[in-house]
Amino acid sequence: MGNTELQSIHVHPVKAFRSLSLREAVVEPWGLAGDRRWVLIDDGGKVVTQRQQPRLALAAAELVPGGVRLSAPGLDPLTVPVPEPVGTVTVEIFGDKVEGVLADTAAHAWCSAYLGADVRLVHMDEPATRRPVDPDFALPGETVSFADGYPLLVTTTASLDALNSLIAQGRHAAEGPLPMNRFRPNAVVSGATAWAEDDWSRIAIGEVTFRVAKMCGRCVVTTTDQTTAGRGKEPLYTLGRHRRINGKLVFGQNLVPQSRGTIRVGDPVRILD
């Protein structure tokens, strides 16, 4: 395992927007700095993701000092400042009720124009206290941003290669091979063997340690081409045949940081337990 290393790092400044690749990232207790601190909600306060709006795959958010810069096909870019926490709005995310701070009206108008639907942009101002990790898989005090459920998601290149081999042998072979961005990971590891991550309990990336919370159950977002927003059958069809574990179609592992620090592309990855 001596050649196991961090191949790439990805953050998603606005949840469900295109991923942003970085050479290094600061690890905070609730996830990578800048990852999923912003989210869209509908007029009922529910989170809007690629599940409902696959066109979000074509929108991008760049981290800039004091905010984010949004861009999307057909619209002029817009820089949105981090809002002052003068009041909060309730965000419903997968059954959790989380408080956030509304962005300015220009952001709401921009996002609504792009989707053709009434949406608002919300910022998580206090990730240290706003949203606990699922208590069934958490230790006391662990929190998370607007990610689906856990601070980080790790995947491996070997497992993607193995999955693509299975897709090539299946009913929807023409859809493969799939790129890693279908799975929207934060950390991609190379040098491990296929499905080795199934057995990880604790790992270190560089000098930062992580607890492996649970396998990641996958949803329809993985069938969304992140460059066209079109949808297919894979990888869910093949995961359903070969990677159904405890009733979930799984790929990757959810991580919770156990220490702070900075991770960098090329860092060694050590399996501690």
Side-chain angles (χ1 to χ4, degrees), residues 51 88 128 168:
R51 293 166 176 83
T88 62

Side-chain angles (χ1 to χ4, degrees), residues 93-117:
I93 176 168
F94 307 122
D96 294 340
K97 298 294 180 69
V98 183
E99 296 303 305
V101 183
L102 286 173
D104 59 30
T105 55
H108 307 330
W110 190 96
C111 295
S112 297
Y114 178 61
L115 293 181

Side-chain angles (χ1 to χ4, degrees), residues 128-198:
T129 58
R130 289 297 189 197
R131 185 184 177 210
V133 173
D134 183 344
D136 290 341
F137 299 95
L139 300 178
E142 290 179 343
T143 63
V144 62
S145 65
F146 286 128
D148 277 6
Y150 299 88
L152 281 88
L153 172 66
V154 63
T155 59
T156 71
T157 57
S159 294
L160 179 62
D161 290 344
L163 178 61
N164 277 325
S165 293
L166 294 171
I167 290 173
Q169 300 164 29
R171 183 177 296 179
H172 307 288
E175 291 188 24
L178 301 183
M180 189 65 86
N181 65 11
R182 289 291 188 95
F183 301 93
R184 299 177 64 77
N186 295 113
V188 179
V189 172
S190 62
T193 57
W195 315 121
E197 66 273 20
D198 289 358

Side-chain angles (χ1 to χ4, degrees), residues 106-130:
H108 307 330
W110 190 96
C111 295
S112 297
Y114 178 61
L115 293 181
D118 183 17
V119 294
R120 294 174 292 169
L121 185 63
V122 180
H123 180 254
M124 183 180 284
D125 59 328
E126 295 289 348
T129 58
R130 289 297 189 197

Side-chain angles (χ1 to χ4, degrees), residues 38-52:
W38 302 80
V39 71
L40 294 177
I41 60 173
D42 64 17
D43 55 8
K46 291 185 177 181
V47 164
V48 177
T49 73
Q50 289 184 34
R51 293 166 176 83
Q52 304 86 18

